[in-house]
Amino acid sequence: MTIVYPYDILTSFPGWSTEFDLLFRQEFSRTAGGSTLAKDFGTPLWRANFATRSLKPNELDVWRARLKALEGSLQQFMGRPFSRCYPIAYPDGAGLGDVSNVKIASINENNKAYRLFGLPAGYQTSVGDYQQVGTKLYQVVDVDGQDIEVRPHLAPGTAVGNAVAVVKPSVPMIIMPGTLTSPAELSTGRGTISFQAIESR
């Protein structure tokens, strides 16, 4: 079977996302009066750290090989926070219902809040949930009735009717150059794999 990119390599990943957060692309300056000013130089990017548990020698070699399919930093994989495979109100998906046809119903003029339709009756959106629209990933920062405010701001081209994933929401990422390590113990051959990743647009 031919590998398709972005590669969904995390489905059986034997580890965790130890960090998953936004990298703000900003520059700071200070005025003569002492005020600190910040300026954006682009939409923030998702960045993450991933690490495995201790792997047996054969497991270690399997995952070293699987990660080689990403060709260093050349190929994309679908990255996501392992802590939020499901919405906060539905641990492990219990009681979640059918969320296969969730879409954007309306978008606020500020381009950072929207409403959804297609959710099961009584569905609860929580601050801290992640949601995926197209190939973009957003985190819920406020819920006011049906209005869901997210960060980062919605990407240009986001429109009413776009599908929204609330289960295993992901974003295309690449491994940051020079961060992939897979050392093994001299005495046992066991080892761990870790790497950093960043959103790739």
Side-chain angles (χ1 to χ4, degrees):
M1 183 180 74
T2 302
I3 293 174
V4 176
Y5 299 102
Y7 191 14
D8 188 14
I9 201 169
L10 297 182
T11 296
S12 57
F13 186 72
W16 197 252
S17 52
T18 58
E19 181 182 7
F20 202 100
D21 213 340
L22 286 172
L23 171 65
F24 288 92
R25 298 187 287 169
Q26 297 175 341
E27 183 178 89
F28 300 90
S29 60
R30 197 176 301 277
T31 67
S35 298
T36 300
L37 304 176
K39 183 176 181 180
D40 267 325
F41 282 88
T43 303
L45 302 173
W46 291 103
R47 65 175 176 183
N49 293 342
F50 295 95
T52 68
R53 56 171 169 77
S54 178
L55 304 176
K56 296 177 181 178
N58 287 346
E59 290 179 295
L60 185 60
D61 283 342
V62 166
W63 277 96
R64 283 171 171 166
R66 292 193 70 185
L67 286 162
K68 284 182 176 67
L70 295 175
E71 301 172 11
S73 302
L74 294 181
Q75 300 294 348
Q76 295 178 326
F77 70 97
M78 293 306 294
R80 62 177 179 272
F82 280 78
S83 61
R84 285 281 60 82
C85 291
Y86 296 96
I88 289 172
Y90 307 94
D92 297 322
L96 182 60
D98 182 8
V99 291
S100 61
N101 196 36
V102 180
K103 296 182 180 180
I104 294 178
S106 62
I107 297 175
N108 192 292
E109 291 180 0
N110 63 17
N111 208 41
K112 56 187 178 183
Y114 52 66
R115 293 186 176 191
L116 301 177
F117 71 88
L119 290 167
Y123 180 91
Q124 181 181 336
T125 300
S126 304
V127 172
D129 285 350
Y130 287 80
Q131 299 182 347
Q132 178 185 346
V133 182
T135 60
K136 301 301 180 185
L137 183 66
Y138 303 96
Q139 188 172 29
V140 177
V141 298
D142 188 51
V143 180
D144 183 7
Q146 296 185 50
D147 292 327
I148 300 168
E149 187 164 337
V150 297
R151 293 296 186 279
H153 292 204
L154 297 176
T158 305
V160 170
N162 284 171
V164 179
V166 298
V167 173
K168 295 184 179 178
S170 307
V171 63
M173 304 184 94
I174 59 170
I175 293 177
M176 294 180 68
T179 65
L180 176 60
T181 63
S182 59
E185 298 174 358
L186 180 62
S187 58
T188 65
R190 299 181 68 99
T192 59
I193 296 174
S194 65
F195 59 92
Q196 298 174 27
I198 194 163
E199 180 179 352
S200 175
R201 295 175 183 247

